[in-house]
Amino acid sequence: MGWAELRRAIADDKSNTANWSDESTSVEVTQQKGFMCNVKAKGKLHMEPDKVFDILVAPDNHKYFSGIKRIEYRKVLEDDKAGKMKVEVQQVGQWKFLGFSGEFSTTLYVHQDRKAGKIRFQLAKPGLMKDFAGTWTIQPLTPKDLHPAPAPDSASQGKRQGGGGPGFLSMLPFQKARGSFVTLEQSILPGFVPPKPLDRVLKGISAKQVQIILQDLRQEVERQSSAENNGKIPAVKAATRLQEDAEPQRPARRRQPPSAFGTVGMSIF
């Protein structure tokens, strides 16, 4: 982001909300008084919930997400051997803004609940960020959910087909999940006060970073799905079974670090 682009963003900023969406993903960031930003993001993925969960909690997930440069350490604090874990993670991210760049570290507690399909994270040590907490939720989608039938032509047809929502058959146990509905709810508050007028574009920058996270996740889902279909490599092993010294997987294609001030603190958790 150069000075000209920054000036345009500030001039165009007339709301406390920033939005972005495409055909299967949406992001909304609302900025409150005092610079706190609240993120709500959601999207559909053509991959089973367990495998999406594995990507998000993999010890080497910095290979999949361009906002994370490396993992300094990862320590399992609690593990009930039934899908619940508490992990302490220190991630190193990278930022670039107006010709300047650098690195920053974020230490987080990550609470994993595989059965519930939830990953909750919070700051373990405040630093560059004063507040950085949120929850990923991964819900199953059946083929019917992923590819809904065309809208009915009449109200009576709509009633017979469930009004456009998930049909009765899609909720039965024998309907195996073929996809995932992923949501992210997150709060972000810098540990410093952005100088004016940068405070006015913080929400837009945050929305852009969440968009990149979702795009990185979708790209890795597509890479693994393609590899599985071609019989070349297996899916990511379940994170609860991965060892710290496991052989690294082939890294995903990486994007360049986002050139925005808001890269600070925008790891996946």
Side-chain angles (χ1 to χ4, degrees), residues 31-178:
Q31 186 171 347
Q32 302 176 9
K33 187 176 181 180
F35 312 112
M36 171 74 81
C37 286
N38 293 320
V39 176
K40 292 183 179 180
K42 57 185 178 182
K44 292 182 179 180
L45 297 172
H46 289 257
M47 178 175 275
E48 297 92 325
D50 261 353
K51 294 179 181 179
V52 175
F53 194 98
D54 291 340
I55 292 173
L56 290 172
V57 302
D60 57 353
N61 62 13
H62 66 284
K63 295 180 179 180
Y64 315 135
F65 297 96
S66 54
I68 308 173
K69 188 170 184 180
R70 63 181 181 274
I71 304 296
E72 290 285 34
Y73 73 84
R74 176 183 180 276
K75 181 190 299 183
V76 177
L77 303 178
E78 300 173 12
D79 185 354
D80 71 351
K81 305 299 182 182
K84 290 185 179 181
M85 296 178 67
K86 179 181 178 181
V87 182
E88 183 177 341
V89 180
Q90 185 176 79
Q91 301 175 338
V92 176
Q94 47 195 146
W95 60 269
K96 187 177 181 182
F97 181 68
L98 298 178
F100 299 95
S101 62
E103 296 182 355
F104 65 95
S105 64
T106 306
T107 304
L108 301 163
Y109 291 131
V110 183
H111 303 263
Q112 307 172 17
D113 188 338
R114 182 175 291 274
K115 290 182 179 179
K118 290 185 179 292
I119 305 166
R120 182 169 56 87
F121 56 93
Q122 64 190 90
L123 277 177
K125 299 176 182 178
L128 196 59
M129 303 302 293
K130 186 175 182 180
D131 181 57
F132 187 77
T135 302
W136 286 92
T137 304
I138 305 105
Q139 298 173 289
L141 291 178
T142 66
K144 185 173 181 180
D145 297 322
L146 288 168
H147 305 286
D153 294 330
S154 67
S156 60
Q157 286 178 321
K159 290 180 181 179
R160 289 197 300 269
Q161 296 183 20
F168 173 72
L169 290 177
S170 70
M171 295 183 283
L172 293 177
F174 58 78
Q175 292 291 312
K176 181 180 173 72
R178 298 294 184 184

